[in-house]
Amino acid sequence: MSNPAKCCAVGDIMLEYPIRFHERKFRMRSATAVLLLFSLLFAQPVAAADLSAELVLRAISRGQDLLKTQQRPNGSWQAEKQTDHIVGITSLCVLALVNSGMTARDLPVKRGLEYLRRIPSGEPQDTYDASLMIMALAAARDPARTDLARITILAKMLEDTQFTQGKVGAWTYGVGSAGAGDPSNSQFAVLALKEAADVGVHVSPAVWERARDYWEGQQSPDGGWGYAGGGGSTGSMTAAGISSLAIVQQMLRNDDGVAPDGTPPCCRPEDPYPALERGLRWMGDHFAVGHNPNNGGWLLYYIYGVERAGRLSGRRFFGDHDWYREGAAFLIAPGNQRRNGSWLGVGSYESGERDISVVGTSLALLFLSKGLAPVMMTKLKHGPRDPARPVEVVGQDWNTHPRDVRNLMEHISGLPRWPALLTSQEVDLQKAAQAGGVDALLQAPILFLTGSQALTFSPVEVALLKEYLAQGGFVLACPTCQAPAFEESFRQLLTQILPPGEQELRLLPEDHPVYRSEYLLKADAVQLHGAEVGCRTAVMYSKEDLGCLWSYWMRHSPPKRNPQLIARVERGMQIAINVAAYATGREPPKSLDAPRKQANEAKLDEIQRGLLQVAQLKHTGQWDAAPHALRRLLLALNDTVGVAATTKPGELLPSDPSLYQYRLLYMHGRTKFSFAPEEREAIKLHLSRGGMLFADACCGAKPFDKSFRELAAQLYPDAPLKLVDVKHELFTEAIGHELKKVRRRTNEGSGPNVPLSATVKEVDPLIEGVEVDGRYVILYSKYDLSCALERQSALSCEGYLSEDATKIATNIVLYSLKKEPRLPPVVK
């Protein structure tokens, strides 16, 4: 090795030196090493399909607790039996705690930051230490203190120590260090300089150009990267190469071809980046989670590298592998996270002693927490197939602007009222169908579809898109350049995936909430088209090439950038943010919280006799605004509280003679409605015999609310609707779920010239009812439950969040079962 004195550098936390590894891999006590390797290679992972955010969050909490116990009195952390690189290890621990949900106000992070700030100016001068310190200070976003000056000094040191001769573009261990440079030091320098640039530090374009040339030159013929360069590709170094090239690709965006009026050349496809694509293909072919491919060590370093490579390249799949689900399942498998909350890997630093490794634990936390970040948008891969590799799409029509969605997610992340980290993914429908069907799409609430050529999808792919919309998904589409073929084919696609009567794109009216969901936009200048599905607009189409504008976004515009281009890009971002706010309510689900189809649906559909059956009342208004709401509720009853309920709800008029076969009647809507006198009489007779009526106003619709209150007064003029006391058994575990507080979205903004200001607050559950002889025969929510049940609620939808809506509705159903109905005799 060129610098044997550095054999225990913080880079070795994650560093793979082939010679050094073979010298040191069994330096642990042999029995401990064998047991550790055995447990890592043969531990049975949690099935990826069984993963949940709750399981992962529990593992994250245990890992955080371990790091808290290992913090030293002065605020620092130190690796077991290692006395060097305390700055780097402390920075890594701070970075892990911050990314896993703690803030600069939390004591462990606060003490860690205070330790780092006490390090004398001009230090550290080691590449790993300086890089990790930049990343920790940038991630903390401490509102009480800015660390920009310190980050600037450290970034300048990294710029100055990049090789400009010899192995140009590389980094070695730091100031005064010998050596030819290596990819591990180099990737951490690139990662740190990106974080510095993101907080406003100017990084010379020449630094990014040299880094690009270095990584392209180091790539092996097989497409991967190894430590020595040019051969011996490994998983960890290939992950480093993918991450570094994805970063330099973004940082070297130029404005060539932009017209004097700021119009970008959207019709000119960006040149493909074959080096990055070859690296991604290598990772797809060699992906694993139980070991570092082609290397016996540095397991947790590799796993965290996979997260960076996937997130920075915008890939949710490497080959056929859902890298986050498989990696998370491995990390939380029994034995892989120790009872004390620690993770141990293989190799110095991450293996640790006393069954503890703060480095290994930090790397695992970074993977779990950053990979758990909400995936807000899926970019759909489409196009003809490669005859030689049918799993691959030929051409880049779907990806004319490769950085569009990634830039959008980076811009939105950290905006006020948005999650601090949002991610995206690229999904091939064919692979999605093979890897779990609609679940692969439901990981993101928004599907982005773009291109210039006519769309062609197989029947299986069309069915997948149809199911995605039915389960609450949202589609945003726009052409690249001027593409009438794309628009025509997209309109034709809607006739296949939307319900009858809702298949036509219409220009959204100027009072549509999307025009003021975040920014005030002029409808005539934006001209979004849309199609309705149930409670909301579920498809939006822009004739403008929005992806082109997103691809020109930079967190800090270059000094000489055309001001008109800046304005165009800002407008394109505002349109996208408004659409995303409308579609998600600024609350995209965590990666593992996306709705998943219950495995027993088909079986439950076949069973009727002996199961709880619920009837949905038809009425003269929009009685089926949320067509899947009741089915979702019945599935939840089977899935969460063990109530045997048929998943085929009845749909009938109150005058239907079979009304009395149903214990519970359910209704919802958005518009004004009425029942004929004989229908009201039938409902009241059913309620007098022990039945119950449960209703809600979709998205808090006032016309429905007014009509329902009139109905209740007509049915029971002497027993008006009244609030159910929050202490009533309806909201307690005695019935089902404990509901002391629930989350409800309300719109505080009003009027066409005021941006929507939807906020989510923890409140008492607000249910009204009509009580007769000590029992509620009607239970009603003026706030939305039904749209939330089928995850169709949008930003403008006033009502309960999906999880809490399901709990409230479940309790209402369970309450209705308390008293046996007095059914009329069966007439034979």
Side-chain angles (χ1 to χ4, degrees):
M1 297 305 297
S2 58
N3 194 354
K6 295 280 188 177
C7 69
C8 298
V10 125
D12 295 339
I13 301 170
M14 325 143 339
L15 198 53
E16 51 178 329
Y17 296 118
I19 296 174
R20 186 175 305 150
F21 172 75
H22 291 299
E23 291 174 350
R24 295 162 86 47
K25 66 179 177 181
F26 290 115
R27 191 165 291 184
M28 298 179 286
R29 291 184 179 88
S30 58
T32 302
V34 171
L35 287 172
L36 176 59
L37 286 167
F38 184 87
S39 67
L40 290 173
L41 291 174
F42 299 104
Q44 293 298 312
V46 176
D50 295 334
L51 271 178
S52 67
E54 182 181 0
L55 285 174
V56 173
L57 290 171
R58 191 181 306 156
I60 288 172
S61 179
R62 293 174 59 211
Q64 288 179 329
D65 290 342
L66 183 280
L67 291 185
K68 293 175 191 177
T69 66
Q70 299 304 304
Q71 190 172 27
R72 301 197 300 176
N74 66 355
S76 69
W77 281 269
Q78 179 178 329
E80 290 291 307
K81 286 197 169 182
Q82 307 288 352
T83 59
D84 56 354
H85 299 284
I86 294 175
V87 171
I89 293 171
T90 299
S91 299
L92 182 67
C93 292
V94 168
L95 189 65
L97 291 175
V98 169
N99 278 285
S100 60
M102 299 180 72
T103 72
R105 296 184 180 90
D106 292 304
L107 188 58
V109 175
K110 182 179 180 180
R111 292 175 58 219
L113 291 171
E114 288 171 350
Y115 172 83
L116 294 176
R117 289 163 181 157
R118 290 195 299 268
I119 301 300
S121 182
E123 296 182 20
Q125 296 191 345
D126 179 275
T127 300
Y128 290 108
D129 289 355
S131 297
L132 286 163
M133 188 169 173
I134 288 173
M135 293 161 71
L137 294 176
R141 296 183 181 180
D142 190 347
R145 177 171 174 178
T146 176
D147 293 297
L148 183 60
R150 189 62 177 272
I151 292 172
T152 302
I153 292 170
L154 293 171
K156 182 63 166 58
M157 187 275 285
L158 290 178
E159 288 193 77
D160 292 344
T161 54
Q162 186 187 34
F163 285 12
T164 56
Q165 296 181 358
K167 196 171 284 189
V168 176
W171 278 266
T172 189
Y173 291 99
V175 176
S177 299
D182 63 76
S184 190
N185 273 292
S186 298
Q187 76 152 327
F188 272 84
V190 169
L191 289 166
L193 288 173
K194 178 191 183 300
E195 297 299 323
D198 285 349
V199 297
V201 176
H202 175 70
V203 178
S204 170
V207 171
W208 302 118
E209 290 168 358
R210 289 193 291 266
R212 175 198 59 201
D213 294 344
Y214 167 75
W215 284 102
E216 290 179 356
Q218 288 287 111
Q219 193 168 28
S220 303
D222 63 4
W225 282 267
Y227 183 75
S233 298
T234 67
S236 48
M237 285 296 96
T238 300
I242 292 170
S243 302
S244 298
L245 287 185
I247 289 171
V248 299
Q249 181 191 38
Q250 179 186 27
M251 294 301 175
L252 288 174
R253 181 63 155 121
N254 63 61
D255 294 348
D256 292 348
V258 174
D261 67 352
T263 303
C266 296
C267 295
R268 186 179 70 187
E270 293 185 38
D271 294 332
Y273 201 173
L276 180 57
E277 292 303 317
R278 289 199 305 272
L280 289 164
R281 178 171 292 186
W282 188 98
M283 185 62 78
D285 291 341
H286 296 83
F287 180 83
V289 293
H291 64 279
N292 180 357
N294 294 350
N295 185 290
W298 318 110
L299 173 63
L300 297 175
Y301 169 47
Y302 156 69
I303 285 179
Y304 176 43
V306 165
E307 183 278 326
R308 292 195 304 268
R311 179 170 49 83
L312 292 171
S313 66
R315 302 296 174 98
R316 191 68 203 182
F317 292 88
F318 287 133
D320 296 327
H321 299 278
D322 185 329
W323 59 262
Y324 181 71
R325 281 191 172 273
E326 293 184 33
F330 172 77
L331 286 174
I332 70 173
N336 285 354
Q337 186 179 22
R338 299 303 196 261
R339 290 183 179 181
N340 60 17
S342 180
W343 280 274
L344 274 68
V346 181
S348 59
Y349 285 88
E350 69 175 56
S351 58
E353 296 286 344
R354 296 188 298 113
D355 222 26
I356 292 173
S357 170
V358 297
V359 169
T361 301
S362 295
L363 295 173
L365 281 176
L366 285 166
F367 176 93
L368 289 175
S369 56
K370 298 185 84 169
L372 191 62
V375 182
M376 190 169 76
M377 185 174 285
T378 290
K379 188 174 184 180
L380 195 62
K381 251 183 169 179
H382 60 87
R385 299 280 164 181
D386 185 342
R389 290 174 59 95
V391 296
E392 299 296 335
V393 170
V394 175
Q396 292 289 302
D397 186 60
W398 67 277
N399 202 28
T400 302
H401 313 299
R403 294 183 303 277
D404 47 10
V405 173
R406 277 179 276 161
N407 282 358
L408 176 62
M409 295 304 101
E410 190 167 343
H411 176 55
I412 297 178
S413 294
L415 286 177
R417 298 184 295 174
W418 288 89
L421 180 61
L422 292 167
T423 60
S424 61
Q425 62 182 7
E426 297 172 355
V427 171
D428 181 332
L429 278 181
Q430 185 180 99
K431 290 182 180 179
Q434 297 168 354
V438 74
D439 288 344
L441 296 182
L442 288 171
Q443 289 177 8
I446 302 175
L447 182 69
F448 180 59
L449 183 57
T450 186
S452 61
Q453 300 170 11
L455 296 165
T456 55
F457 293 114
S458 70
V460 171
E461 293 169 334
V462 170
L464 207 58
L465 290 172
K466 184 175 182 178
E467 181 67 10
Y468 173 71
L469 284 173
Q471 295 220 29
F474 179 94
V475 173
L476 171 64
C478 70
T480 55
C481 193
Q482 299 299 318
F486 175 86
E487 180 174 334
E488 183 179 348
S489 65
F490 180 71
R491 290 179 180 273
Q492 178 60 34
L493 175 66
L494 295 185
T495 66
Q496 299 173 274
I497 64 176
L498 291 179
E502 298 178 336
Q503 299 169 342
E504 183 182 351
L505 282 175
R506 297 182 176 88
L507 186 65
L508 297 180
E510 61 180 13
D511 62 349
H512 193 284
V514 73
Y515 294 121
R516 57 190 186 95
S517 57
E518 182 103 1
Y519 302 98
L520 284 178
L521 301 177
K522 294 182 178 180
D524 57 349
V526 175
Q527 292 198 334
L528 289 170
H529 292 69
E532 302 292 314
V533 174
C535 300
R536 60 174 188 151
T537 305
V539 177
M540 289 190 186
Y541 183 84
S542 169
K543 292 178 178 290
E544 188 175 4
D545 188 349
L546 296 176
C548 175
L549 298 175
W550 305 342
S551 72
Y552 276 86
W553 175 85
M554 299 181 76
R555 190 173 295 279
H556 301 281
S557 296
K560 296 182 180 180
R561 173 165 274 194
N562 186 320
Q564 292 173 284
L565 173 62
I566 294 174
R568 289 177 183 271
V569 172
E570 182 179 0
R571 174 180 167 277
M573 285 293 183
Q574 288 180 350
I575 294 171
I577 292 168
N578 274 33
V579 171
Y582 172 82
T584 69
R586 304 186 192 90
E587 293 174 357
K590 288 186 173 64
S591 178
L592 299 179
D593 275 341
R596 302 181 66 79
K597 195 172 184 176
Q598 286 89 343
N600 59 350
E601 281 191 41
K603 182 178 179 181
L604 289 169
D605 282 349
E606 297 172 1
I607 302 172
Q608 296 291 322
R609 188 177 300 275
L611 300 188
L612 167 67
Q613 298 187 45
V614 181
Q616 182 168 355
L617 292 181
K618 296 180 179 181
H619 54 78
T620 57
Q622 195 176 0
W623 69 272
D624 202 21
H628 305 286
L630 185 51
R631 179 178 170 83
R632 296 283 186 272
L633 172 57
L634 295 170
L635 284 166
L637 286 165
N638 285 281
D639 196 46
T640 62
V641 296
V643 172
T646 177
T647 56
K648 281 188 172 180
E651 298 172 353
L652 67 166
L653 292 168
S655 56
D656 193 309
S658 62
L659 181 75
Y660 301 104
Q661 296 177 14
Y662 297 90
R663 171 79 61 89
L664 180 63
L665 307 180
Y666 167 75
M667 62 183 293
H668 68 238
R670 299 182 68 179
T671 59
K672 180 180 178 181
F673 72 91
S674 63
F675 286 120
E678 60 272 18
E679 291 177 319
R680 295 197 300 270
E681 183 178 341
I683 293 172
K684 186 168 184 179
L685 178 61
H686 182 49
L687 300 184
S688 71
R689 290 171 168 170
M692 198 183 88
L693 174 61
F694 162 36
D696 76 290
C698 292
C699 290
K702 289 180 172 51
F704 180 89
D705 179 69
K706 181 180 178 182
S707 291
F708 189 83
R709 292 181 186 282
E710 291 173 353
L711 171 65
Q714 290 166 342
L715 292 174
Y716 295 99
D718 299 325
L721 277 172
K722 64 178 181 179
L723 283 178
V724 180
D725 193 304
V726 293
K727 296 179 181 179
H728 191 274
E729 63 175 344
L730 177 66
F731 305 120
T732 68
E733 287 181 330
I735 289 294
H737 300 285
E738 187 72 29
L739 295 172
K740 293 180 180 178
K741 292 291 181 181
V742 290
R743 294 164 297 167
R744 193 174 71 225
R745 182 187 299 110
T746 59
N747 290 318
E748 297 175 354
S750 61
N753 298 317
V754 180
L756 285 175
S757 182
T759 58
V760 174
K761 297 180 180 179
E762 280 201 347
V763 295
D764 294 333
L766 196 157
I767 300 294
E768 297 173 86
V770 172
E771 191 174 18
V772 177
D773 296 331
R775 175 180 175 272
Y776 283 103
V777 296
I778 296 177
L779 288 172
Y780 171 66
S781 173
K782 70 175 183 177
Y783 295 112
D784 176 76
L785 294 170
S786 49
C787 294
L789 282 168
E790 62 172 25
R791 294 180 182 268
Q792 290 278 7
S793 56
L795 180 70
S796 57
C797 193
E798 290 198 85
Y800 298 96
L801 299 196
S802 180
E803 181 182 354
D804 293 339
T806 302
K807 291 178 180 178
I808 293 170
T810 297
N811 276 25
I812 290 174
V813 174
L814 294 175
Y815 176 81
S816 75
L817 301 179
K818 287 196 63 180
K819 184 176 180 180
E820 288 294 332
R822 299 191 302 277
L823 300 180
V826 177
V827 179
K828 295 183 180 180

